[in-house]
Amino acid sequence: MTKHVEIRICGLGGQGVVLAGQILGKAAVFDGLNVVQTQSYGAEARGSAAKSEVILSDTKVGFPMIRHCDVLVAMNQKSLDMYVKDLKDDGILIVDEGLVEKIPSGLKAKTFRVAATKTAENEFKSKLYANMIMLGAMTKISRVVSIGALEKAIAESFPEKVKEVNIEAFRKGLALT
Amino acid sequence: MLNPGIKFMQGSQALAEAAITAGLRFFAGYPITPASEIAEHLAKELPKVGGIAIQMEDEIASIATIIGASWTGAKVMTATSGPGFSLMQENIGLAFMTETPLVIADMQRAGPSTGQATKCGQGDVMQARWGTHGDYASITLSPNSVQEMFDLTIRAFNLAEKYRTPVILLGDEIIAHMRESIIIPPKNSIEIVNRKKPRPGETMFFGGEEIPPMPSIGEGFNVTVTGSTHDEYGIRITADPVGHRKLVKRLVGKILNNADEIVEVEAYNTENCKIGVVSFGCTSRAVYEAVERANEKGVKTGFIRLKTLWPFPEKQVKVLAQTAKTILVPEMNLRQIFFEVTRVAEGAAKVVPLNKIGGGEMITPEEILAVLLKEGA
Amino acid sequence: MSEEFSLRTYLRDIQPPFCAGCGAFTVMNTFLRAVHEMGHKDLRGFAFCSGIGCSSWIPSPHFKADTIHVTHGRSIPVATGVKLMRPDLNVVVFGGDGDIVGIGLSHLIHAARRNVDITVVMVNNMIYGMTGGQVAPTTPFKLPTTTTPYGNFERALDASKLIASAGACYVARWTTTHVSQLKESFKTAVNTKGFAFIEVISQCPTAFGRRVGFKDAGEMLQWFKANSVTVEEANKLTEEELQNKIVVGEFVKKEAPSLTETVYAVLKEAQKK
């Protein structure tokens, strides 16, 4: 059976969803998978809906856009409402507990609530770490990419100074679920 | 410069890295979405290998500056998108007429005019072919993956140097911005072509052979470069009909006569299909799946994916037109390559367009499949 | 400089396309004389760029040198590309007022701002000569031209003043009657580290002189002479008194880091890392 997983991470511009997608993509390459990652922002650079999409496959990835979303990570209500439409019935929805209140009615996908932003603020004194916490939670729940590959990808993606704390945030996310 | 191996990188970065690998030493550009990442990456990386990256006052100055730099012997490039590409057209003609090797990377977005600046389009196909005035032959390459942003950029430089002509690398917003896993080959396995230089004492730099040698400024050749019609020595002949015919026919001929070497396509099942698909760039990525699914459903389908857009791959499309009953041409514009396919098919196959513009929405495998099943029924 | 000056040393055996009495002859001769006096036995240490217009023919194809003749208005960015890759060469641009401050004005301002070490020689005949006498940004107010048959309804641009304020290291203006001063300015400009701009007010008897009512080039030269005032003199005159005068002299002569210096400093720094 071939592996083909479509993951979408969405939120508000500035929440770090694009970076989270890039790190996930890089990790998948470490795991030996074929990867395509795309992203889109709203018209303004900050403060509107942003999304990052990653397609992982053990064969060549052709069409680069998500059509059948296996995993949707939503970091705020607006982006969830905008991007939930392609989520498969047997897919996984992971939302930031503090920022997403309403799960669309009738949604069949399995839903997980992770207090990412709250934990980031409480334990890392900055909501900037919410994206790495979410990545940790997603890794634990979906198991699409190995923990080792993700830690390596995080380490390569941040300057020395903040590398460790981001890995710590990722591990916190693993532990939250 | 990048070490060989498997990388995960953005299309624009792959293009920029390939340019450095190919020998780029002078870049001039002007910020524009979705091509700015190329300039930004080169601004950081090019000085490390002793090359210059400079931001000019506009796209006209950008291409003019690289023309000057190319005549010092350097490999040069600029990068832009539709609006900037339009501004460059006059000097693309100058580069063609003066036989100046250079690479123009055009990352297409939705036009005309400012259009949708951040959204993908494939509407510059004809601009790449006919954008400058007068008689002209274009070399235009069309990558469809991050890997090809690397591979075809190397090729673009090699073709520019070999044929002494501007080469257009026609990417698009999707390919420029997407990140993908790519393999950077070892440096010594990459073929690098350099322009032919004159021997001491040579004086004919604009004729005498199909692709004359190119001296550099400052080497003592007293080279006379001009965008006006000129003789083999570069001396202007502004009224003589024979001289003009001779020059322009050679310039066009050196590209069209070598089409077999310049043209590259990816072909699948073209000898044995009922329906063929001709596509290029990001749209071709939807074709793979659509063709596979059509074949699974019993509709014999093949495709040609144009890695070279210009000169148009006439031979390959002609062959497809002989075998296929129908040729589908999906593209993110309101029909451009469609007309070329129609011209080459000469009625031997029915040519069906499939077009979509706006919002950066790609033509999906399902949309292509639906036409394939309908036409194949 | 024992050898005697001969134009043949520097010129190809090609008949220039200029009309009888054209100021381009003076500019060409004076420039080459300056080159000779600077001790250059040939033009090996130079590269020339020009765009479109009569004066763009001064270097190309006439100079026995590397010359690039390009599109209308774009000689300055082409020269910038040459200079950046070959900082050792003296890069000189020749162009008319239409080429340099009409279609190519933005490049001129940016070249001065960047302080790219090239010399731009603008031969200002106050008209589009080659295309048949159309109005230029430098055409005097009220003067009739083929595209302003009822008189020019726009004001003329003071190019030297503009470029002085844009950051050039050397700016001078002369007329074709100030041959010795012009020659010295050419030497200064070529030796200037940074951007140098020389404006030469020049006669176009064919497309300009006729309209103003000058009989021939000689009358135009007399008019230049009679109406030229030096920078020093001009400082004492009122704006009204300066109406229709040609202010000549050196407007700027200063030192500042040039573009090649700053670019190559960056390269050196980047390669250390």
Side-chain angles (χ1 to χ4, degrees):
Chain A
M1 188 64 193
T2 58
K3 178 173 181 168
H4 180 99
V5 189
E6 302 190 359
I7 303 145
R8 176 180 285 156
I9 307 173
C10 59
L12 205 63
Q15 278 187 308
V17 302
V18 168
L19 182 63
Q22 289 170 6
I23 290 172
L24 177 62
K26 192 181 258 189
V29 173
F30 292 145
D31 274 349
L33 295 167
N34 290 301
V35 186
V36 173
Q37 183 263 333
T38 58
Q39 60 212 39
S40 78
Y41 311 86
E44 313 87 37
R46 292 278 179 277
S48 62
K51 71 175 157 101
S52 183
E53 299 185 343
V54 184
I55 301 177
L56 318 174
S57 178
D58 50 14
T59 59
K60 201 173 161 189
V61 181
F63 194 64
M65 301 299 170
I66 283 188
R67 288 167 290 164
H68 315 287
C69 185
D70 296 289
V71 181
L72 175 64
V73 177
M75 296 190 60
N76 79 339
Q77 186 70 49
K78 191 181 159 193
S79 65
L80 171 65
D81 297 342
M82 275 175 82
Y83 298 123
V84 74
K85 59 180 188 294
D86 306 316
L87 185 58
K88 283 158 75 174
D89 286 350
D90 60 350
I92 295 167
L93 172 66
I94 307 169
V95 299
D96 192 325
E97 194 167 32
L99 300 172
V100 174
E101 285 175 354
K102 240 186 92 205
I103 304 298
S105 57
L107 191 81
K108 294 204 175 102
K110 211 167 171 191
T111 302
F112 298 84
R113 291 180 171 79
V114 178
T117 300
K118 206 174 115 205
T119 307
E121 281 171 333
N122 288 346
E123 302 199 16
F124 296 90
K125 306 287 169 254
S126 166
K127 58 184 175 188
L128 282 180
Y129 298 96
N131 61 347
M132 291 303 113
I133 294 172
M134 258 319 199
L135 215 44
M138 193 216 74
T139 305
K140 182 78 172 289
I141 295 164
S142 69
R143 298 173 184 278
V144 288
V145 177
S146 73
I147 291 168
L150 258 162
E151 290 193 355
K152 192 176 161 201
I154 294 169
E156 276 193 12
S157 304
F158 289 98
E160 200 60 37
K161 250 181 14 201
V162 291
K163 198 170 88 178
E164 278 310 317
V165 60
N166 276 287
I167 292 176
E168 230 177 276
F170 170 73
R171 287 178 182 160
K172 189 81 215 173
L174 288 171
L176 275 182
T177 45
Chain B
M1 217 178 288
L2 276 183
N3 294 322
I6 297 174
K7 314 274 169 189
F8 179 62
M9 64 198 299
Q10 199 179 38
S12 299
Q13 285 176 2
L15 186 158
E17 285 294 336
I20 295 173
T21 304
L24 174 74
R25 287 302 175 270
F26 190 91
F27 174 89
Y30 186 80
I32 188 166
T33 303
S36 296
E37 288 86 355
I38 298 169
E40 288 164 0
H41 194 75
L42 287 171
K44 194 162 153 244
E45 298 303 323
L46 205 46
K48 292 180 188 169
V49 296
I52 294 173
I54 187 168
Q55 183 172 315
M56 296 303 289
E57 52 270 26
D58 55 32
E59 288 88 349
I60 299 174
S62 300
I63 185 164
T65 304
I66 67 168
I67 288 172
S70 183
W71 275 98
T72 68
K75 291 191 184 178
V76 301
M77 180 172 84
T78 185
T80 189
S81 186
F85 193 41
S86 295
L87 283 176
M88 290 181 185
Q89 292 301 331
E90 187 192 14
N91 279 335
I92 291 174
L94 174 66
F96 180 72
M97 194 68 153
T98 54
E99 302 180 71
T100 306
L102 53 87
V103 174
I104 303 151
D106 173 23
M107 299 300 113
Q108 297 170 94
R109 62 191 228 188
S113 189
T114 310
Q116 292 186 318
T118 61
K119 302 302 178 191
C120 190
Q122 292 185 307
D124 297 358
V125 173
M126 286 299 164
Q127 186 175 211
R129 174 64 187 89
W130 298 108
T132 199
H133 63 279
D135 290 290
Y136 166 67
S138 158
I139 298 180
T140 300
L141 310 182
S142 167
N144 87 339
S145 65
V146 174
Q147 183 71 54
E148 276 194 356
M149 286 287 260
F150 188 90
D151 298 342
L152 292 191
T153 297
I154 303 262
R155 187 151 199 266
F157 276 92
N158 286 348
L159 292 170
E161 292 287 315
K162 178 163 187 188
Y163 293 103
R164 252 188 85 179
T165 196
V167 172
I168 296 155
L169 189 79
L170 195 66
D172 54 58
E173 186 276 334
I174 303 268
I175 308 295
H177 280 164
M178 80 168 33
R179 280 178 172 73
E180 235 175 341
S181 35
I182 77 163
I183 300 165
I184 305 290
K187 183 88 204 270
N188 60 15
S189 73
I190 301 171
E191 192 204 0
I192 304 289
V193 177
N194 295 310
R195 65 192 71 170
K196 186 168 73 185
K197 302 285 293 178
R199 291 181 305 276
E202 271 194 79
T203 52
M204 268 202 266
F205 311 129
F206 302 96
E209 54 191 307
E210 196 174 42
I211 305 148
M214 181 177 175
S216 298
I217 277 181
E219 287 180 338
F221 283 97
N222 288 347
V223 58
T224 307
V225 184
T226 177
S228 294
T229 298
H230 47 271
D231 66 13
E232 294 84 342
Y233 304 95
I235 303 300
R236 265 167 265 180
I237 36 173
T238 53
D240 172 38
V242 177
H244 184 77
R245 276 170 215 149
K246 194 175 162 193
L247 173 66
V248 177
K249 282 186 174 179
R250 179 177 62 79
L251 296 182
V252 171
K254 74 177 178 182
I255 292 165
L256 298 188
N257 297 341
N258 293 297
D260 283 349
E261 198 196 291
I262 299 167
V263 166
E264 274 188 358
V265 301
E266 179 189 357
Y268 170 75
N269 205 23
T270 47
E271 326 70 34
N272 183 30
C273 63
K274 200 171 156 198
I275 303 187
V277 184
V278 174
S279 68
F280 60 95
C282 66
T283 301
S284 65
R285 298 186 62 120
V287 172
Y288 299 127
E289 183 184 319
V291 166
E292 194 184 320
R293 285 164 66 181
N295 280 317
E296 279 167 12
K297 288 182 189 289
V299 180
K300 283 184 179 173
T301 312
F303 69 76
I304 289 178
R305 200 253 305 177
L306 311 172
K307 291 167 79 172
T308 307
L309 283 175
W310 309 113
F312 188 69
E314 295 190 5
K315 281 187 185 165
Q316 292 83 347
V317 172
K318 206 161 251 169
V319 168
L320 181 67
Q322 297 304 325
T323 46
K325 202 176 75 176
T326 306
I327 299 177
L328 173 65
V329 186
E331 48 189 332
M332 284 173 76
N333 55 48
L334 297 179
R335 298 189 200 177
Q336 294 196 17
I337 279 295
F338 165 79
F339 292 113
E340 281 299 298
V341 176
T342 305
R343 175 179 70 79
V344 171
E346 288 181 323
K350 174 184 167 195
V351 184
V352 179
L354 177 59
N355 310 91
K356 192 169 174 181
I357 56 168
E361 285 181 4
M362 294 181 72
I363 300 171
T364 64
E366 287 75 14
E367 286 166 338
I368 295 168
L369 181 65
V371 183
L372 293 177
L373 296 181
K374 185 177 151 239
E375 292 293 328
Chain C
M1 201 186 337
S2 51
E3 273 177 64
E4 210 161 298
F5 172 67
S6 163
L7 281 173
R8 287 171 166 232
T9 313
Y10 305 102
L11 291 180
R12 288 178 211 276
D13 193 17
I14 299 171
Q15 187 61 34
F18 312 128
C19 305
C22 176
F25 284 114
T26 312
V27 177
M28 181 190 252
N29 292 358
T30 309
F31 179 80
L32 292 176
R33 216 170 255 280
V35 165
H36 172 75
E37 289 180 15
M38 288 167 82
H40 295 279
K41 287 189 168 44
D42 54 36
L43 294 170
R44 205 169 259 266
F46 288 81
F48 298 93
C49 293
S50 60
I52 299 298
C54 295
S55 37
S56 298
W57 287 72
I58 291 174
S60 169
H62 303 292
F63 286 4
K64 280 185 205 161
D66 291 323
T67 57
I68 312 187
H69 170 240
V70 301
T71 41
H72 200 15
R74 315 306 168 197
S75 52
I76 292 172
V78 173
T80 302
V82 173
K83 183 68 191 184
L84 280 173
M85 291 308 287
R86 286 299 302 266
D88 55 316
L89 296 176
N90 296 310
V91 180
V92 183
V93 167
F94 283 89
D97 41 314
D99 198 47
I100 301 289
V101 294
I103 189 168
L105 178 60
S106 142
H107 308 310
L108 176 68
I109 296 170
H110 285 285
R113 172 185 67 78
R114 289 190 177 102
N115 203 26
V116 53
D117 347 17
I118 62 172
T119 295
V120 172
V121 180
M122 183 178 94
V123 183
N124 181 0
N125 57 16
M126 299 169 278
I127 200 89
Y128 282 80
M130 182 167 271
T131 44
Q134 295 84 8
V135 70
T138 44
T139 303
F141 187 51
K142 288 191 175 168
L143 190 90
T145 71
T146 56
T147 48
T148 55
Y150 304 105
N152 180 15
F153 37 71
E154 298 177 12
R155 295 176 298 174
L157 175 75
D158 185 335
S160 288
K161 201 170 175 181
L162 172 71
I163 292 319
S165 69
C169 278
Y170 183 72
V171 179
R173 173 161 52 212
W174 303 106
T175 76
T176 44
T177 63
H178 300 86
V179 176
S180 60
Q181 295 96 323
L182 179 61
K183 190 180 68 189
E184 292 311 310
S185 269
F186 279 141
K187 295 182 198 169
T188 311
V190 168
N191 287 329
T192 294
K193 190 190 77 184
F195 187 74
F197 180 72
I198 297 180
E199 179 180 356
V200 191
I201 306 292
S202 175
Q203 73 278 17
C204 172
T206 308
F208 185 89
R210 281 189 303 145
R211 291 177 197 287
V212 193
F214 291 117
K215 195 168 86 241
D216 55 21
E219 273 194 10
M220 288 189 82
L221 291 175
Q222 274 168 16
W223 180 69
F224 287 168
K225 215 167 215 171
N227 288 284
S228 294
V229 294
T230 63
V231 185
E232 296 75 23
E233 288 164 352
N235 285 339
K236 295 175 207 144
L237 299 176
T238 65
E239 210 164 297
E240 208 159 65
E241 287 169 315
L242 280 172
Q243 285 279 308
N244 298 321
K245 296 284 181 217
I246 304 166
V247 182
V248 297
E250 293 178 319
F251 301 99
V252 179
K253 207 173 173 178
K254 67 175 186 190
E255 278 192 25
S258 72
L259 182 68
T260 41
E261 285 177 331
T262 53
V263 162
Y264 280 87
V266 165
L267 256 55
K268 215 169 151 187
E269 203 51 44
Q271 282 173 287
K272 268 190 219 158
K273 281 172 188 165

